[in-house]
Structure formats: structure tokens, C-alpha cells
Amino acid sequence: MTNKVRKSSISQRIYFLLSLLLCLTFAIPSYAINAHPPWLQQSFDQVDILDKKDPKLALDFAQKLLAEKGDSMSDYDKTALYERLARYCTYLGEFTLGQEYIKQGFALKPDPASSIGISLKLSQASILDELGNSEQALNLYFEAEQLAKDSENSKMLADTYSYLANSYSLNHNDIEALKYFHQAYLLLEKLGDDLELAYLKAQMATSYSFINDDEKAISLATEVIQYFLANEYYFDALYAQSGLANDYLRMKDYQQAEIEFKKVIELTKKLGKSDSIYTAYIGLAKVYFHLEQNDKARYYYQLYESKRHQAPPPYTVIHDAIFVAQVELADENIDKVKQAISIAEQALTKFEQEKALSWYSSLYDLKSKLAKLENNYQAAYEYQSEYIRIKALYHNEERERVRSKYKVMFDTDQALLQNQLLERDKQLDKIALENAQNKQWLQNIIIIVAIIFVIILSAFIYRQVRTSKTLHKLANTDTLTELANRRFSFLYAEKMMSLAIREQEDFAIVVFDVDHFKQVNDKYGHAGGDIALKALAITASEYVRNKDILGRIGGEEFLLVLPNTSAKQATVIAERIRLAIANKVLTINEQQTNITASFGVAELSATRASFNQLFYDADIALYQAKEKGRNQVVVATS
């Protein structure tokens, strides 16, 4: 009887394990099951090589492949081909045809989280962007970003960040563009994709040019041109050369811009890319206009129009119309100026004014000069006033401050993020090893597979716990306020205080917390209290300098570390923060309210030779501020 029970129990276990393995087999993602037939994979490899040389060659080859073999392909294979066709059309500016391929690709219902599904979405968004539908495009980009993150697809996430950066650059938002370029660069560097890095650097060169970092722009553009030529990527070299010429044009180095645009013409003739020569013609037209050689400017603009075969997107229409208006205005051709302005205004209806400030400022400047030419001084004054207003919006101080912040991010953050990248590399290597082992385990006996599965699962859980602990130790940021946490704040303070003692420099700290914070929690709940703390963190951060650190060290308690700062200077800073917090109107649960904070200041002195003593004295000063009625700054006595 006992043996029968045991045999029955073993049978049930084996049946359970078989069922489990069957479920795991069907749970393997489709990308692991789907594979192109060898002949098609060879064709895809060939078309990918052609894409690196010239997207036009790749498009022709892919179209021929679709016409000859499309009927014999599976939906999976055909979707992969449509995705490539859409991508090449996007590169070449053939947007109508690209949209048709995208539509056909989505009709075959690819997995949205697959590389093919994400790439189709990116191509669709890129075309919408070029046609002026930036809001729809951004929504698609962010959907692609989430899909790439959910599927842990680093390559597609890097591509998405690159597309996002280009989108923001296209819409004159250099701040966001540089942020996403930075994120794409880190991912591509980790993946070791030199060609994609070269593409990215070429795009970044233009962004650096827009923020007036000319040295960086020229350096990056020159570097990628040399890379493309050395690897015989002549199509890419041609457009990188065009980008370099435009960088010099933006820098107002017109002589050098003329030289670089003529190099573009030489390259197009050498490579037989006459259909791309129009980019050099429009560049030379602008160069000669700025050199006040309007006859030459018109000549090259006419060449540009004759060589540009495709209907231009709204961005190009606006640029061209404004340029034509400028040329005709210089020669006082009033009717032609009005015609060009009308064309620009019609194209600008596709864009909200706040997203096209530079264009609107140019337009109002043109209108002002035209009105003056017609002796309509009242209209000229009004247009000039609007021009000045829009120009001020575009170049306000806050925009320039944040631009600078993101400009240096690429150069400064790499070293700080290197450890995180190495840790992620290790995790990816472990996952790849597990996948290889899983394929081998599926070929073994059921019992052995089950045992190995249990062992691997246990090891995986152990590694996850260990990794979680490691990441927790490395974390230096308070999750609620995104300020430094207590551990990092104290370590940084001790380090900077030791440096101040060694260098005999001033050093001060400010400790502050929210007055009557319990009342905030009681009235609005903990969620309301969190809102108040976040608002306080944002407000106080505006007064923190580069070497300062603002951290949250308790529930509602904060520490401000001020290297090379005296108690008098620290008091001024604390007073500014106090006033800013007190004057800040918060909206919590649809109600408006204010909070205040009390501050304690202490500076390094002979009696405060340790951080513990310094912090203690600042804390005592904080409590004195509380006792004196709150919402004030008290300096610790020497």
C-alpha cells in the first residue's frame, strides 16, 4: 500500500513538472521562436550593409525583395521587411511612401514590445514630427520608450532616446534634446556600437552649435567625418560634412562655411550623389546673402529649388520662406517679401507659438522692416515690440542656465555613472548565461531539468536579494524629494569639512525643518505632507550652488552643506531660503496654503573641530529659532 502511494505521488510530481515545462516553453517570448529562413536572413544582412553605405540603395533592394518574394513570406518576415522599408523612407524624406509601409507593417499585428514593433512606432513618430505634428510624435516616442524599458531592450531604448533628442532639437528645445542625447550616448557606449555612436555624435555636433559651444561642435563633426570616410560610409560622410558647413554658418564664419559647402559639392560629384547636392546649394545661398552678395544668393537658391525633388516638410518651408523674404527685403522687392512672409505664416499655423519662438521672432522682425520700408512707422513699432517680446522669451536667463547645465552633463556625468553601467553589464551577462543554460536544460531528462530549475531559481532569488542589497547601499538619493539622503549628506559634509580644515578655508552648515509639520500631516494627510516636502525641496534647491549639497536627513529635517562659506554668508543664504519658503503658495488637495521653516547656522571654528560638534551646534541653533517663535534664522554662538 505504501509503495502504491509513493508511486502515485511520484507520478503526480512528474506530471506537474511536465506541465510546468510545457508552460515555460510556450511562455518563451516570440522573438526566441521566430527566426527568418536562411535565404531571407542573408537578404536582410545584405540590405543592412547597403543601408550603412546608402539608404537609397537599401530602399531599392528592399523594394525589389518585396516585389519578388513578398508573397512567399510569413507575416513575421514581411513585417520585418516593412519595418526596414519604412525606416529607409524616413531617412530619405519619402514620408508618404514611408507612412504606407508603416500602415502595412502594423496591419500584420507585430508584437508592440518587439524590436520591429518599436522601430515601426519610431518611424511613424519621426514622419509625424517632420510634418509638424510634434505632439502626436512625442506621444509615440514616449510609448516606444516605455515598451523598450519593459522589454529591457537597450538597443531600442538608445534609438528611442536618439529620436527624442532629434525631435526636441527640431522643435527648438535644446535643453531636452541634450538630455536625451546624453542618455542615448551612455547606452550606445555600453553596447559598444561605434557606428551608432558616430551617428549620434554627428547630431550632437549640431546641438552644441546651437548652444554656442563652437569648439565642441566642430570637434565632434570633424571626428565623425573622418570615421565615416575611413570606413567608407560615404553617404553618412556627405551629410556630416553638410552638418559641419551649417555649424560654421551658425557661427557666422562665412568664409569657412563657403569652403565646407563647396566640399559637400565635391563629395556629391565624387560619389555620384547629385540628388543630395541641394543641401550645399541652400547653404551657399545663405552664405552669400550674409556676405551681401544677393545675386549669388539668388543663383544658388534657384539651383537649390531645381535640385530638390521632394515636397519639403513644414520646417523646411518656413526656413526657405524666411530666407527668401530676407533676400528680397535687402533689395526692397516688397511684393516678393510679402509673398514669402505669407508662405511662412501659412506653414507656421501647424505650430504653437511657444514651440516656434525663433521663427516667430524672425517673422516679426521681417514685418517690422517691411513696414518701415513702406513708411508705416506705427506698424513697424508694433511689430518690433512683438519681436523684442518674443526674443526675450526665447533667450531668458533661466533657459540659458538650464541649457548650460545640460551642456556640461555629457562631459561631467560619465565618470559618476560608470559604476552603474558596469553593474548593469554584469547583470546582462548573467541573464545571457542563464538563457544559454535554459536551452541546454530543455534537452535533458525531465527529472534533471526539474532539479536544475529549482537550483537556478534559488540562485536567481539569492542573486536578486544580493543585488537589491548592493543597490540599496549604493543609493545616495532620497526617493521622495530627489535630494541627497542622510548618508550621502553626512559623508559629503565630513569630507568637505576635512578639506576646509586642511586648506584653512571657511565652512558652514545650515540645518532646518518645517514648522508645525504635524499639523500639515493632520490636515492634509501624509500625501499632502509629501507634497509640501517636495515643494520645499524644489524651492530651497534654487539657492544651492555647484559645490553645495542640500539633503533630507529626517522626516521634515534638511541639511545644507556650504563649503568655502562663512557664517555671515550662510545666514544670508538661509534667510533667502526662509523667505522663499514662506512666500511659496502651495496647492494641496485643491486648497492653497503656506508653510514656514526654522533655521540653525553653524560655522567651522576652533571649538567645532569635528562634524558631530558642528552639527550639534547647528541643531541647537535650530531649536533656539523654534523657541523664539519659528520662521527665522539663528546662528550658533562661537
Side-chain angles (χ1 to χ4, degrees):
M1 182 69 178
T2 304
N3 288 335
K4 288 181 180 180
V5 172
R6 282 182 180 170
K7 288 179 181 178
S8 176
S9 175
I10 292 172
S11 298
Q12 290 175 356
R13 291 177 184 176
I14 292 174
Y15 178 77
F16 170 75
L17 291 171
L18 283 169
S19 301
L20 179 61
L21 286 170
L22 187 61
C23 292
L24 286 171
T25 301
F26 282 105
I28 295 174
S30 59
Y31 60 77
I33 297 172
N34 284 322
H36 302 302
W39 68 267
L40 182 59
Q41 187 58 57
Q42 290 176 1
S43 297
F44 280 163
D45 292 341
Q46 186 175 351
V47 79
D48 289 341
I49 291 172
L50 288 173
D51 175 38
K52 294 176 182 178
K53 302 296 183 183
D54 186 340
K56 183 65 170 65
L57 296 177
L59 178 61
D60 293 342
F61 184 94
Q63 287 175 329
K64 183 179 179 181
L65 182 63
L66 178 64
E68 294 178 354
K69 302 288 186 180
D71 293 339
S72 62
M73 292 183 190
S74 68
D75 285 354
Y76 172 74
D77 296 333
K78 195 178 292 186
T79 306
L81 183 55
Y82 281 137
E83 181 274 322
R84 283 172 168 81
L85 285 163
R87 183 156 30 104
Y88 305 148
C89 286
T90 305
Y91 295 159
L92 296 167
E94 298 186 11
F95 302 133
T96 302
L97 183 58
Q99 286 177 318
E100 182 59 31
Y101 286 133
I102 290 167
K103 181 180 178 181
Q104 293 176 5
F106 279 129
L108 296 175
K109 298 181 180 179
D111 178 5
S114 67
S115 294
I116 294 173
I118 295 172
S119 186
L120 278 171
K121 193 178 290 288
L122 291 175
S123 295
Q124 182 183 24
S126 179
I127 291 175
L128 287 171
D129 231 346
E130 291 288 350
L131 296 177
N133 300 320
S134 58
E135 289 297 331
Q136 289 178 263
L138 276 178
N139 289 335
L140 290 175
Y141 286 136
F142 289 131
E143 288 176 15
E145 178 189 17
Q146 192 58 53
L147 288 169
K149 286 181 177 179
D150 292 343
S151 59
E152 298 181 355
N153 191 332
S154 298
K155 175 62 173 66
M156 293 313 304
L157 186 58
D159 286 351
T160 303
Y161 286 148
S162 179
Y163 273 91
L164 270 166
N166 279 314
S167 176
Y168 281 116
S169 180
L170 197 62
N171 288 282
H172 301 263
N173 190 339
D174 304 319
I175 300 168
E176 289 298 305
L178 284 170
K179 182 178 78 172
Y180 283 107
F181 273 134
H182 170 70
Q183 294 181 8
Y185 185 94
L186 292 176
L187 285 170
L188 289 173
E189 187 181 48
K190 183 181 71 172
L191 293 169
D193 195 330
D194 292 338
L195 180 57
E196 290 295 333
L197 273 173
Y199 293 149
L200 195 71
K201 288 177 181 178
Q203 296 158 354
M204 292 176 70
T206 300
S207 288
Y208 275 110
S209 174
F210 276 126
I211 58 173
N212 300 319
D213 192 339
D214 299 334
E215 182 179 350
K216 191 75 173 181
I218 300 303
S219 173
L220 283 173
T222 304
E223 176 188 345
V224 296
I225 290 170
Q226 292 173 351
Y227 173 84
F228 288 141
L229 291 175
N231 290 277
E232 299 182 353
Y233 298 138
Y234 298 120
F235 180 88
D236 300 309
L238 176 62
Y239 281 93
Q241 180 67 49
S242 180
L244 177 61
N246 278 294
D247 290 340
Y248 279 113
L249 183 59
R250 274 186 289 272
M251 292 160 52
K252 300 181 180 180
D253 188 345
Y254 301 124
Q255 274 72 30
Q256 189 62 41
E258 180 184 14
I259 293 171
E260 299 300 334
F261 278 122
K262 287 182 176 179
K263 287 182 182 179
V264 174
I265 294 176
E266 291 172 6
L267 264 178
T268 58
K269 293 178 178 178
K270 179 180 179 182
L271 303 175
K273 302 294 182 186
S274 59
D275 55 339
S276 303
I277 202 169
Y278 70 92
T279 59
Y281 288 152
I282 185 63
L284 284 170
K286 292 177 179 178
V287 166
Y288 290 126
F289 168 70
H290 288 294
L291 293 174
E292 298 182 358
Q293 300 178 32
N294 288 353
D295 289 340
K296 277 191 173 183
R298 283 195 182 86
Y299 170 74
Y300 278 103
Y301 186 79
Q302 289 170 358
L303 286 178
Y304 159 69
E305 285 195 315
S306 68
K307 291 294 183 180
R308 188 189 64 198
H309 302 301
Q310 299 167 2
Y315 297 98
T316 304
V317 172
I318 297 168
H319 279 299
D320 291 352
I322 289 176
F323 173 69
V324 170
Q326 290 170 334
V327 174
E328 300 300 342
L329 185 67
D331 289 341
E332 299 186 1
N333 296 324
I334 294 176
D335 290 339
K336 291 184 178 180
V337 175
K338 289 180 177 179
Q339 183 181 1
I341 288 175
S342 177
I343 293 171
E345 286 181 324
Q346 181 62 31
L348 272 171
T349 58
K350 294 179 177 291
F351 305 93
E352 298 176 18
Q353 188 180 80
E354 61 268 20
K355 295 183 179 178
L357 292 175
S358 63
W359 285 331
Y360 275 100
S361 65
S362 298
L363 202 58
Y364 279 110
D365 187 41
L366 281 168
K367 285 185 172 183
S368 174
K369 292 174 180 176
L370 178 61
K372 185 178 179 182
L373 191 61
E374 294 180 315
N375 297 321
N376 188 347
Y377 296 106
Q378 178 62 34
Y381 173 77
E382 292 173 357
Y383 287 136
Q384 189 67 17
S385 298
E386 187 65 10
Y387 163 74
I388 293 170
R389 184 187 71 81
I390 293 175
K391 202 73 173 176
L393 284 175
Y394 187 63
H395 291 294
N396 63 71
E397 292 181 2
E398 179 63 14
R399 179 181 176 87
E400 293 303 319
R401 183 185 70 80
V402 182
R403 272 185 174 186
S404 298
K405 171 186 174 183
Y406 283 118
K407 180 176 77 70
V408 300
M409 181 191 296
F410 172 77
D411 299 310
T412 58
D413 282 1
Q414 266 185 279
L416 296 175
L417 293 172
Q418 194 61 37
N419 288 337
Q420 295 180 22
L421 293 175
L422 290 173
E423 183 63 29
R424 290 177 184 176
D425 280 338
K426 292 178 183 178
Q427 293 179 14
L428 289 173
D429 289 340
K430 290 176 184 177
I431 292 171
L433 178 60
E434 290 174 6
N435 287 335
Q437 290 175 337
N438 284 337
K439 293 180 75 172
Q440 182 180 352
W441 293 334
L442 290 175
Q443 300 171 0
N444 293 334
I445 303 173
I446 299 300
I447 300 297
I448 297 175
V449 170
I451 294 172
I452 294 177
F453 179 79
V454 171
I455 294 173
I456 295 300
L457 181 61
S458 301
F460 178 77
I461 293 172
Y462 169 74
R463 282 195 296 272
Q464 288 297 99
V465 172
R466 186 179 63 182
T467 303
S468 177
K469 290 181 179 179
T470 302
L471 292 174
H472 180 72
K473 291 178 181 178
L474 292 174
N476 294 322
T477 304
D478 175 58
T479 55
L480 175 64
T481 62
E482 298 184 2
L483 299 176
N485 60 16
R486 182 184 182 90
R487 173 182 170 276
F488 184 80
S489 298
F490 279 27
L491 287 174
Y492 182 79
E494 291 175 353
K495 175 184 174 181
M496 298 311 293
M497 182 173 176
S498 299
L499 181 64
I501 293 172
R502 187 166 64 250
E503 300 294 333
Q504 295 184 347
E505 295 176 343
D506 291 333
F507 181 79
I509 63 171
V510 178
V511 180
F512 62 98
D513 68 8
V514 182
D515 295 330
H516 302 299
F517 187 66
K518 185 177 183 302
Q519 294 178 8
V520 176
N521 279 333
D522 291 343
K523 183 174 181 180
Y524 300 106
H526 288 290
D530 289 347
I531 291 172
L533 290 175
K534 289 179 183 178
L536 182 146
I538 292 171
T539 302
S541 295
E542 295 177 0
Y543 300 91
V544 176
R545 302 166 303 183
N546 288 337
K547 287 188 177 182
D548 301 341
I549 282 290
L550 176 62
R552 182 186 178 204
I553 59 174
E556 69 273 20
E557 189 173 7
F558 297 83
L559 170 64
L560 179 57
V561 181
L562 300 168
N564 200 18
T565 305
S566 66
K568 183 178 179 181
Q569 294 169 322
T571 304
V572 172
I573 294 171
E575 185 62 28
R576 289 174 181 169
I577 296 174
R578 183 193 69 77
L579 285 172
I581 292 170
N583 292 330
K584 178 75 173 179
V585 178
L586 305 180
T587 301
I588 305 176
N589 298 340
E590 299 182 354
Q591 299 182 38
Q592 292 188 336
T593 187
N594 293 84
I595 60 172
T596 61
S598 299
F599 295 73
V601 178
E603 70 172 342
L604 174 65
S605 65
T607 59
R608 302 188 187 104
S610 70
F611 176 71
N612 287 340
Q613 184 61 48
L614 183 67
F615 183 80
Y616 176 80
D617 288 353
D619 208 33
I620 292 296
L622 167 62
Y623 279 102
Q624 289 174 354
K626 295 282 188 183
E627 291 173 356
K628 290 180 178 182
R630 296 182 169 83
N631 191 24
Q632 56 185 284
V633 179
V634 172
V635 182
T637 56
S638 302

